[in-house]
Amino acid sequence: MEEKLILILKDYQQKITSASTLKGLDSLFLALFGKNGEITQATKEFPKLAKEELRVVAPLLARVKAGLEEAVTKRREEIREGGYQKLTGEKLDLGSAELPKDKGHLHVITTFEEKTVSLFQNLGFQRYDAPHIDSDDFNFGLLNIPEDHPARDLWDTLYLDSEKFGIEPGKLLLRTHTSNSQVRIMREHKIPFRMMVLGRCFRYENLDARHEHTFEQFEIVYVDKGLSMANLQYLSEHLLKGIFGEEMKVRMTPGYYPFVEPGAGVDGLCIFCKGKGCKVCGGVGWLELAGAGMIHPTVLKNGGIDPKIYSGIAWGFGPFRMLMLKYGINDIRTFLSGNLKELLKYEEEK
Ligand code: PHE
């Protein structure tokens, strides 16, 4: 019996150390300690043994059993550890996988707007958000556009249903421009401030290739001592050169907006004919790309600012229109259409 036990020990120790899988180890364990396992069988033979022999064999069996159990446990750890090392040693480089090029990209508007924002962040401008649903006062009244003034016709406005919302008729509207931020900004900030506003605007338009009811605007509101039209020219060049390249030329022509005085249209040299005159610019050689001006004294006063001491610049443009020109997109409805086939064609460089 003694010999038999020692044989089992040697034999299985060797088998255990050379086992290479957990499954293999499990079957060795069963072969030893299972119902018909070697060790189990050996134990069953105890009653047959003489007392003398039992005194030697019993502690031996206990040692063999413990030794083999320990060997199995140790090997199990080793195999697990080995598997883990193999995994960590393997390089799984997901970045190297070739992805099809036409998978998708950010919407041209998103990238364009991020770029515009960072152009002005570089000049110290901060983001400001004004509400989409706003009062007639912030959108018009405080901007020097009184009720019934014909200038309101410049903006076809969507008013909220007064009966449905239980409000006074004509008091709440969907903002027609980001200029609804102007007086808010003035009331909320200490001078000097440089703010930029970017967001959705809404108009009651007859929809066609050039008119969309929902669109974006980007606006700048800048108040300090001693600002002039020269600053406006600088900011316009900063934007248009940033978008179209250094060779872009920029000029201002007189333009009417009730909340600026003087008011200006900001023109860029026509990107199609470079000033020679073509169909897109109507033979003029220039394209009007933004509206701007020195903030009207009445608007400054409405914002709690003394126009005798301070002056302000307001300046805004529509990213949709700008991108239509940049990429020759001929239908403004493309942008919000969800027409991926069309939209994927236009990718603005980051
Ligand atoms: N809010 C004007 C518009 O929507 C654009 C503008 C902004 C003009 C700022 C002057 C100054 O047409």
Side-chain angles (χ1 to χ4, degrees):
M1 187 72 180
E2 252 184 276
E3 272 169 34
K4 200 181 163 194
L5 283 179
I6 291 171
L7 265 179
I8 294 176
L9 179 69
K10 283 194 176 155
D11 184 24
Y12 276 86
Q13 263 178 339
Q14 202 244 324
K15 281 184 182 161
I16 290 168
T17 26
S18 50
S20 57
T21 61
L22 291 176
K23 221 172 161 191
L25 259 190
D26 285 346
S27 51
L28 286 175
F29 187 84
L30 271 181
L32 284 165
F33 305 108
K35 215 165 147 199
N36 297 311
E38 305 261 15
I39 299 290
T40 321
Q41 289 303 325
T43 321
K44 278 187 187 159
E45 290 192 20
F46 276 18
K48 293 183 207 160
L49 297 177
K51 257 197 178 163
E52 297 300 296
E53 209 185 344
L54 200 58
R55 209 172 285 153
V56 184
V57 171
L60 177 65
L61 181 87
R63 283 210 304 277
V64 168
K65 208 177 153 186
L68 288 171
E69 273 171 355
E70 202 186 305
V72 170
T73 313
K74 198 173 140 222
R75 188 64 195 142
R76 187 169 277 139
E77 301 275 290
E78 282 170 5
I79 292 175
R80 281 200 186 123
E81 179 73 3
Y84 176 69
Q85 272 171 5
K86 201 167 143 229
L87 266 185
T88 49
E90 244 174 46
K91 270 196 193 138
L92 187 60
D93 186 0
L94 291 174
S96 71
E98 269 281 328
L99 289 175
K101 292 259 170 356
D102 57 354
K103 267 281 158 153
H105 52 76
L106 284 178
H107 195 296
V108 62
I109 290 286
T110 308
T111 324
F112 175 79
E113 289 179 346
E114 279 171 3
K115 259 167 73 172
T116 310
V117 165
S118 74
L119 272 174
F120 285 92
Q121 244 161 10
N122 294 344
L123 296 181
F125 283 81
Q126 281 178 45
R127 281 290 287 273
Y128 183 89
D129 276 331
H132 290 176
I133 297 175
D134 206 357
S135 69
D136 180 86
D137 279 347
F138 281 114
N139 197 80
F140 292 129
L142 295 165
L143 293 177
N144 201 26
I145 319 171
E147 245 173 86
D148 303 323
H149 192 282
R152 292 215 175 186
D153 296 347
L154 290 172
W155 296 274
D156 297 303
T157 308
L158 290 155
Y159 286 91
L160 265 69
D161 187 329
S162 55
E163 263 176 49
K164 197 164 173 185
F165 294 103
I167 48 172
E168 219 184 301
K171 283 297 166 214
L172 277 185
L173 45 77
L174 296 184
R175 71 167 173 190
T176 58
H177 50 183
T178 42
S179 302
N180 72 330
S181 62
Q182 289 188 11
V183 171
R184 282 197 171 81
I185 289 178
M186 293 176 205
R187 290 181 180 175
E188 288 170 26
H189 294 86
K190 272 200 189 143
I191 307 168
F193 54 75
R194 298 174 188 190
M195 294 295 178
M196 55 180 155
V197 190
L198 169 66
R200 286 278 155 95
C201 300
F202 312 88
R203 289 190 197 170
Y204 183 52
E205 298 281 6
N206 269 327
L207 304 187
D208 62 25
R210 292 174 55 78
H211 298 90
E212 174 67 291
H213 52 71
T214 302
F215 57 97
E216 300 269 301
Q217 278 197 347
F218 180 89
E219 177 145 351
I220 268 180
V221 184
Y222 178 15
V223 174
D224 202 346
K225 271 186 190 159
L227 296 181
S228 74
M229 294 295 273
N231 299 94
L232 203 57
Q233 176 71 17
Y234 177 84
L235 292 176
S236 307
E237 285 185 18
H238 181 71
L239 173 82
L240 294 180
K241 283 178 192 269
I243 293 172
F244 293 105
E246 275 304 308
E247 61 289 353
M248 177 46 107
K249 290 202 165 39
V250 182
R251 72 172 191 187
M252 277 188 282
T253 54
Y256 174 65
Y257 300 96
F259 37 92
V260 284
E261 181 61 38
V266 178
D267 297 351
L269 196 68
C270 175
I271 48 170
F272 299 100
C273 63
K274 303 270 180 282
K276 286 194 201 89
C278 67
K279 248 180 35 197
V280 179
C281 59
V284 189
W286 296 84
L287 290 165
E288 187 169 329
L289 297 175
M294 303 305 298
I295 297 175
H296 197 286
T298 305
V299 179
L300 285 175
K301 273 189 218 152
N302 290 339
I305 292 171
D306 186 348
K308 290 198 196 81
I309 306 175
Y310 299 104
S311 47
I313 283 172
W315 177 103
F317 77 91
F320 286 14
R321 217 172 105 73
M322 199 75 94
L323 283 169
M324 284 172 82
L325 285 171
K326 188 168 176 183
Y327 291 101
I329 299 170
N330 52 24
D331 193 331
I332 194 168
R333 294 167 293 189
T334 306
F335 295 108
L336 299 181
S337 68
N339 178 351
L340 286 184
K341 208 165 148 223
E342 185 65 17
L343 283 168
L344 278 170
K345 290 191 207 156
Y346 312 108
E347 185 173 11
E348 175 78 359
E349 243 176 74
K350 280 195 192 161

Short mmCIF file of all heavy atoms in Angstrom, two decimals, residues 159-198:
data_model
loop_
_atom_site.label_atom_id
_atom_site.label_comp_id
_atom_site.label_asym_id
_atom_site.label_seq_id
_atom_site.Cartn_x
_atom_site.Cartn_y
_atom_site.Cartn_z
N TYR A 159 -45.62 84.06 -34.22
CA TYR A 159 -46.05 84.35 -32.85
C TYR A 159 -46.67 83.11 -32.23
O TYR A 159 -47.24 82.28 -32.94
CB TYR A 159 -47.09 85.49 -32.86
CG TYR A 159 -46.44 86.84 -33.14
CD1 TYR A 159 -46.32 87.31 -34.45
CD2 TYR A 159 -45.92 87.61 -32.10
CE1 TYR A 159 -45.71 88.52 -34.71
CE2 TYR A 159 -45.30 88.82 -32.36
CZ TYR A 159 -45.19 89.28 -33.67
OH TYR A 159 -44.58 90.46 -33.91
N LEU A 160 -46.56 83.03 -30.91
CA LEU A 160 -47.18 81.90 -30.22
C LEU A 160 -48.69 82.09 -30.15
O LEU A 160 -49.16 83.22 -29.95
CB LEU A 160 -46.60 81.72 -28.82
CG LEU A 160 -45.46 80.70 -28.76
CD1 LEU A 160 -44.24 81.23 -29.48
CD2 LEU A 160 -45.12 80.34 -27.35
N ASP A 161 -49.43 81.02 -30.28
CA ASP A 161 -50.88 81.04 -30.24
C ASP A 161 -51.35 81.53 -28.86
O ASP A 161 -51.20 80.83 -27.86
CB ASP A 161 -51.37 79.60 -30.50
CG ASP A 161 -52.87 79.53 -30.65
OD1 ASP A 161 -53.56 80.35 -30.01
OD2 ASP A 161 -53.34 78.66 -31.40
N SER A 162 -51.91 82.75 -28.84
CA SER A 162 -52.22 83.37 -27.54
C SER A 162 -53.32 82.61 -26.81
O SER A 162 -53.28 82.45 -25.59
CB SER A 162 -52.61 84.83 -27.72
OG SER A 162 -53.67 84.92 -28.64
N GLU A 163 -54.30 82.12 -27.56
CA GLU A 163 -55.41 81.39 -26.90
C GLU A 163 -54.91 80.09 -26.29
O GLU A 163 -55.17 79.78 -25.14
CB GLU A 163 -56.48 81.06 -27.93
CG GLU A 163 -57.61 82.07 -27.93
CD GLU A 163 -58.62 81.76 -29.03
OE1 GLU A 163 -59.05 80.59 -29.14
OE2 GLU A 163 -58.95 82.71 -29.77
N LYS A 164 -54.14 79.39 -27.06
CA LYS A 164 -53.65 78.08 -26.62
C LYS A 164 -52.78 78.21 -25.38
O LYS A 164 -52.86 77.41 -24.45
CB LYS A 164 -52.85 77.45 -27.76
CG LYS A 164 -52.63 75.99 -27.61
CD LYS A 164 -52.19 75.41 -28.93
CE LYS A 164 -51.78 73.98 -28.81
NZ LYS A 164 -51.26 73.49 -30.07
N PHE A 165 -51.93 79.26 -25.34
CA PHE A 165 -51.00 79.39 -24.22
C PHE A 165 -51.49 80.38 -23.16
O PHE A 165 -50.79 80.65 -22.19
CB PHE A 165 -49.62 79.80 -24.74
CG PHE A 165 -48.98 78.73 -25.58
CD1 PHE A 165 -48.96 78.83 -26.96
CD2 PHE A 165 -48.43 77.60 -24.99
CE1 PHE A 165 -48.39 77.83 -27.74
CE2 PHE A 165 -47.87 76.59 -25.76
CZ PHE A 165 -47.85 76.70 -27.15
N GLY A 166 -52.69 80.93 -23.38
CA GLY A 166 -53.26 81.87 -22.40
C GLY A 166 -52.39 83.10 -22.20
O GLY A 166 -52.15 83.52 -21.06
N ILE A 167 -51.88 83.67 -23.28
CA ILE A 167 -51.04 84.86 -23.17
C ILE A 167 -51.63 85.99 -24.02
O ILE A 167 -52.48 85.75 -24.87
CB ILE A 167 -49.59 84.59 -23.66
CG1 ILE A 167 -49.63 83.87 -25.02
CG2 ILE A 167 -48.80 83.77 -22.65
CD1 ILE A 167 -48.31 83.71 -25.69
N GLU A 168 -51.13 87.19 -23.77
CA GLU A 168 -51.59 88.35 -24.53
C GLU A 168 -51.16 88.17 -26.00
O GLU A 168 -50.01 87.78 -26.24
CB GLU A 168 -50.89 89.58 -23.96
CG GLU A 168 -51.76 90.82 -23.89
CD GLU A 168 -50.94 91.98 -23.39
OE1 GLU A 168 -50.40 91.87 -22.27
OE2 GLU A 168 -50.81 92.96 -24.15
N PRO A 169 -52.04 88.44 -26.93
CA PRO A 169 -51.67 88.23 -28.34
C PRO A 169 -50.45 89.08 -28.73
O PRO A 169 -50.29 90.21 -28.27
CB PRO A 169 -52.92 88.69 -29.11
CG PRO A 169 -54.02 88.75 -28.12
CD PRO A 169 -53.42 88.95 -26.77
N GLY A 170 -49.60 88.53 -29.53
CA GLY A 170 -48.45 89.28 -30.06
C GLY A 170 -47.32 89.49 -29.07
O GLY A 170 -46.41 90.28 -29.32
N LYS A 171 -47.37 88.83 -27.91
CA LYS A 171 -46.33 89.10 -26.91
C LYS A 171 -45.18 88.09 -26.92
O LYS A 171 -44.05 88.42 -26.61
CB LYS A 171 -46.95 89.15 -25.49
CG LYS A 171 -47.67 90.43 -25.21
CD LYS A 171 -46.72 91.62 -25.23
CE LYS A 171 -47.46 92.95 -25.29
NZ LYS A 171 -46.77 93.98 -26.06
N LEU A 172 -45.50 86.85 -27.25
CA LEU A 172 -44.43 85.83 -27.29
C LEU A 172 -44.25 85.32 -28.71
O LEU A 172 -45.21 85.06 -29.42
CB LEU A 172 -44.77 84.66 -26.37
CG LEU A 172 -44.45 84.81 -24.90
CD1 LEU A 172 -44.75 83.51 -24.17
CD2 LEU A 172 -42.99 85.20 -24.65
N LEU A 173 -42.98 85.17 -29.08
CA LEU A 173 -42.69 84.77 -30.47
C LEU A 173 -41.49 83.85 -30.51
O LEU A 173 -40.80 83.65 -29.51
CB LEU A 173 -42.42 86.04 -31.29
CG LEU A 173 -41.50 87.10 -30.70
CD1 LEU A 173 -40.04 86.72 -30.80
CD2 LEU A 173 -41.73 88.43 -31.39
N LEU A 174 -41.26 83.25 -31.68
CA LEU A 174 -40.01 82.51 -31.88
C LEU A 174 -39.01 83.54 -32.38
O LEU A 174 -39.32 84.28 -33.33
CB LEU A 174 -40.20 81.41 -32.93
CG LEU A 174 -41.18 80.29 -32.56
CD1 LEU A 174 -41.19 79.22 -33.64
CD2 LEU A 174 -40.78 79.67 -31.22
N ARG A 175 -37.86 83.64 -31.75
CA ARG A 175 -36.95 84.72 -32.12
C ARG A 175 -36.63 84.68 -33.61
O ARG A 175 -36.42 83.61 -34.18
CB ARG A 175 -35.67 84.67 -31.29
CG ARG A 175 -34.75 83.52 -31.63
CD ARG A 175 -33.40 83.73 -30.98
NE ARG A 175 -32.55 82.56 -31.16
CZ ARG A 175 -31.40 82.40 -30.53
NH1 ARG A 175 -30.95 83.33 -29.70
NH2 ARG A 175 -30.67 81.32 -30.73
N THR A 176 -36.62 85.86 -34.21
CA THR A 176 -36.37 85.93 -35.65
C THR A 176 -34.89 86.12 -35.94
O THR A 176 -34.44 86.00 -37.06
CB THR A 176 -37.13 87.10 -36.28
OG1 THR A 176 -36.72 88.30 -35.62
CG2 THR A 176 -38.63 86.92 -36.11
N HIS A 177 -34.15 86.51 -34.89
CA HIS A 177 -32.69 86.71 -35.04
C HIS A 177 -32.01 86.59 -33.68
O HIS A 177 -32.66 86.68 -32.63
CB HIS A 177 -32.39 88.08 -35.67
CG HIS A 177 -33.08 89.24 -35.02
ND1 HIS A 177 -32.98 90.53 -35.49
CD2 HIS A 177 -33.87 89.33 -33.92
CE1 HIS A 177 -33.67 91.34 -34.73
NE2 HIS A 177 -34.22 90.64 -33.77
N THR A 178 -30.70 86.39 -33.72
CA THR A 178 -29.96 86.29 -32.45
C THR A 178 -29.78 87.66 -31.79
O THR A 178 -29.27 87.75 -30.68
CB THR A 178 -28.57 85.66 -32.69
OG1 THR A 178 -28.00 86.22 -33.86
CG2 THR A 178 -28.64 84.16 -32.82
N SER A 179 -30.26 88.73 -32.47
CA SER A 179 -30.17 90.06 -31.86
C SER A 179 -31.04 90.17 -30.62
O SER A 179 -30.92 91.14 -29.86
CB SER A 179 -30.58 91.13 -32.88
OG SER A 179 -29.76 91.06 -34.02
N ASN A 180 -31.92 89.19 -30.38
CA ASN A 180 -32.71 89.21 -29.14
C ASN A 180 -31.80 89.10 -27.91
O ASN A 180 -32.22 89.29 -26.78
CB ASN A 180 -33.77 88.10 -29.13
CG ASN A 180 -33.17 86.70 -28.95
OD1 ASN A 180 -32.05 86.44 -29.37
ND2 ASN A 180 -33.92 85.80 -28.33
N SER A 181 -30.52 88.81 -28.16
CA SER A 181 -29.57 88.69 -27.06
C SER A 181 -29.02 90.06 -26.63
O SER A 181 -28.52 90.22 -25.52
CB SER A 181 -28.39 87.83 -27.49
OG SER A 181 -27.72 88.46 -28.58
N GLN A 182 -29.08 91.04 -27.54
CA GLN A 182 -28.33 92.29 -27.33
C GLN A 182 -28.60 92.98 -25.99
O GLN A 182 -27.68 93.23 -25.20
CB GLN A 182 -28.59 93.26 -28.48
CG GLN A 182 -27.96 92.83 -29.79
CD GLN A 182 -28.07 93.89 -30.88
OE1 GLN A 182 -28.44 95.03 -30.62
NE2 GLN A 182 -27.75 93.50 -32.10
N VAL A 183 -29.88 93.29 -25.74
CA VAL A 183 -30.20 94.05 -24.52
C VAL A 183 -29.96 93.19 -23.26
O VAL A 183 -29.48 93.68 -22.24
CB VAL A 183 -31.64 94.60 -24.59
CG1 VAL A 183 -32.07 95.19 -23.25
CG2 VAL A 183 -31.73 95.65 -25.69
N ARG A 184 -30.25 91.89 -23.39
CA ARG A 184 -29.95 90.98 -22.27
C ARG A 184 -28.47 91.04 -21.92
O ARG A 184 -28.11 91.16 -20.74
CB ARG A 184 -30.27 89.54 -22.66
CG ARG A 184 -31.70 89.20 -22.61
CD ARG A 184 -31.82 87.68 -22.59
NE ARG A 184 -33.18 87.30 -22.33
CZ ARG A 184 -34.12 87.28 -23.27
NH1 ARG A 184 -33.82 87.60 -24.50
NH2 ARG A 184 -35.35 86.94 -22.96
N ILE A 185 -27.63 90.92 -22.93
CA ILE A 185 -26.18 90.93 -22.69
C ILE A 185 -25.78 92.23 -21.98
O ILE A 185 -25.03 92.21 -21.01
CB ILE A 185 -25.42 90.78 -24.03
CG1 ILE A 185 -25.59 89.37 -24.57
CG2 ILE A 185 -23.93 91.12 -23.87
CD1 ILE A 185 -24.93 89.12 -25.92
N MET A 186 -26.28 93.35 -22.49
CA MET A 186 -25.92 94.64 -21.89
C MET A 186 -26.34 94.73 -20.43
O MET A 186 -25.61 95.25 -19.60
CB MET A 186 -26.59 95.77 -22.68
CG MET A 186 -26.07 95.92 -24.08
SD MET A 186 -26.99 97.19 -24.94
CE MET A 186 -26.77 96.64 -26.62
N ARG A 187 -27.53 94.21 -20.15
CA ARG A 187 -28.02 94.31 -18.76
C ARG A 187 -27.28 93.36 -17.82
O ARG A 187 -27.22 93.60 -16.63
CB ARG A 187 -29.52 93.99 -18.72
CG ARG A 187 -30.35 95.08 -19.37
CD ARG A 187 -31.83 94.76 -19.31
NE ARG A 187 -32.61 95.83 -19.94
CZ ARG A 187 -33.91 95.78 -20.12
NH1 ARG A 187 -34.59 94.73 -19.72
NH2 ARG A 187 -34.55 96.78 -20.70
N GLU A 188 -26.73 92.30 -18.38
CA GLU A 188 -26.13 91.27 -17.51
C GLU A 188 -24.61 91.37 -17.35
O GLU A 188 -24.04 90.68 -16.53
CB GLU A 188 -26.47 89.87 -18.05
CG GLU A 188 -27.92 89.50 -17.85
CD GLU A 188 -28.30 88.23 -18.61
OE1 GLU A 188 -27.42 87.40 -18.87
OE2 GLU A 188 -29.49 88.10 -18.94
N HIS A 189 -23.97 92.21 -18.16
CA HIS A 189 -22.50 92.21 -18.12
C HIS A 189 -21.92 93.60 -17.86
O HIS A 189 -22.50 94.61 -18.23
CB HIS A 189 -21.92 91.65 -19.41
CG HIS A 189 -22.25 90.21 -19.60
ND1 HIS A 189 -23.42 89.78 -20.17
CD2 HIS A 189 -21.57 89.09 -19.25
CE1 HIS A 189 -23.46 88.46 -20.17
NE2 HIS A 189 -22.34 88.01 -19.62
N LYS A 190 -20.73 93.58 -17.24
CA LYS A 190 -20.00 94.82 -17.00
C LYS A 190 -19.22 95.18 -18.26
O LYS A 190 -18.68 94.29 -18.93
CB LYS A 190 -19.00 94.60 -15.87
CG LYS A 190 -19.58 94.86 -14.51
CD LYS A 190 -18.44 95.11 -13.54
CE LYS A 190 -18.95 95.16 -12.12
NZ LYS A 190 -18.02 94.56 -11.21
N ILE A 191 -19.12 96.47 -18.53
CA ILE A 191 -18.36 96.92 -19.70
C ILE A 191 -16.87 96.95 -19.34
O ILE A 191 -16.55 97.34 -18.22
CB ILE A 191 -18.83 98.35 -20.09
CG1 ILE A 191 -20.35 98.34 -20.25
CG2 ILE A 191 -18.13 98.84 -21.35
CD1 ILE A 191 -20.97 99.70 -20.33
N PRO A 192 -15.94 96.59 -20.19
CA PRO A 192 -16.16 96.15 -21.57
C PRO A 192 -16.53 94.67 -21.65
O PRO A 192 -16.10 93.89 -20.82
CB PRO A 192 -14.79 96.37 -22.20
CG PRO A 192 -13.81 96.17 -21.09
CD PRO A 192 -14.50 96.64 -19.84
N PHE A 193 -17.32 94.30 -22.66
CA PHE A 193 -17.57 92.87 -22.89
C PHE A 193 -17.57 92.55 -24.38
O PHE A 193 -17.87 93.41 -25.21
CB PHE A 193 -18.89 92.43 -22.24
CG PHE A 193 -20.08 93.23 -22.65
CD1 PHE A 193 -20.66 93.05 -23.90
CD2 PHE A 193 -20.63 94.17 -21.78
CE1 PHE A 193 -21.77 93.79 -24.27
CE2 PHE A 193 -21.74 94.92 -22.15
CZ PHE A 193 -22.31 94.74 -23.41
N ARG A 194 -17.17 91.33 -24.65
CA ARG A 194 -17.18 90.81 -26.02
C ARG A 194 -17.94 89.50 -26.00
O ARG A 194 -17.48 88.54 -25.39
CB ARG A 194 -15.76 90.51 -26.50
CG ARG A 194 -14.87 91.70 -26.55
CD ARG A 194 -13.47 91.26 -26.88
NE ARG A 194 -12.58 92.40 -26.75
CZ ARG A 194 -11.33 92.42 -27.14
NH1 ARG A 194 -10.81 91.33 -27.69
NH2 ARG A 194 -10.60 93.48 -26.98
N MET A 195 -19.09 89.49 -26.64
CA MET A 195 -19.93 88.29 -26.60
C MET A 195 -20.23 87.77 -27.98
O MET A 195 -20.30 88.55 -28.94
CB MET A 195 -21.27 88.62 -25.92
CG MET A 195 -21.12 88.99 -24.49
SD MET A 195 -20.54 87.55 -23.61
CE MET A 195 -20.37 88.20 -22.02
N MET A 196 -20.43 86.47 -28.07
CA MET A 196 -20.91 85.91 -29.34
C MET A 196 -22.11 85.01 -29.07
O MET A 196 -22.17 84.33 -28.03
CB MET A 196 -19.82 85.15 -30.07
CG MET A 196 -19.15 84.07 -29.27
SD MET A 196 -17.88 83.27 -30.24
CE MET A 196 -16.82 82.66 -28.95
N VAL A 197 -23.06 85.04 -29.97
CA VAL A 197 -24.29 84.28 -29.80
C VAL A 197 -24.47 83.44 -31.06
O VAL A 197 -24.34 83.94 -32.17
CB VAL A 197 -25.51 85.22 -29.66
CG1 VAL A 197 -26.74 84.43 -29.25
CG2 VAL A 197 -25.22 86.33 -28.67
N LEU A 198 -24.75 82.17 -30.84
CA LEU A 198 -24.92 81.28 -31.99
C LEU A 198 -26.16 80.46 -31.74
O LEU A 198 -26.32 79.91 -30.65
CB LEU A 198 -23.70 80.36 -32.09
CG LEU A 198 -23.78 79.19 -33.05
CD1 LEU A 198 -23.85 79.67 -34.47
CD2 LEU A 198 -22.58 78.29 -32.88
#
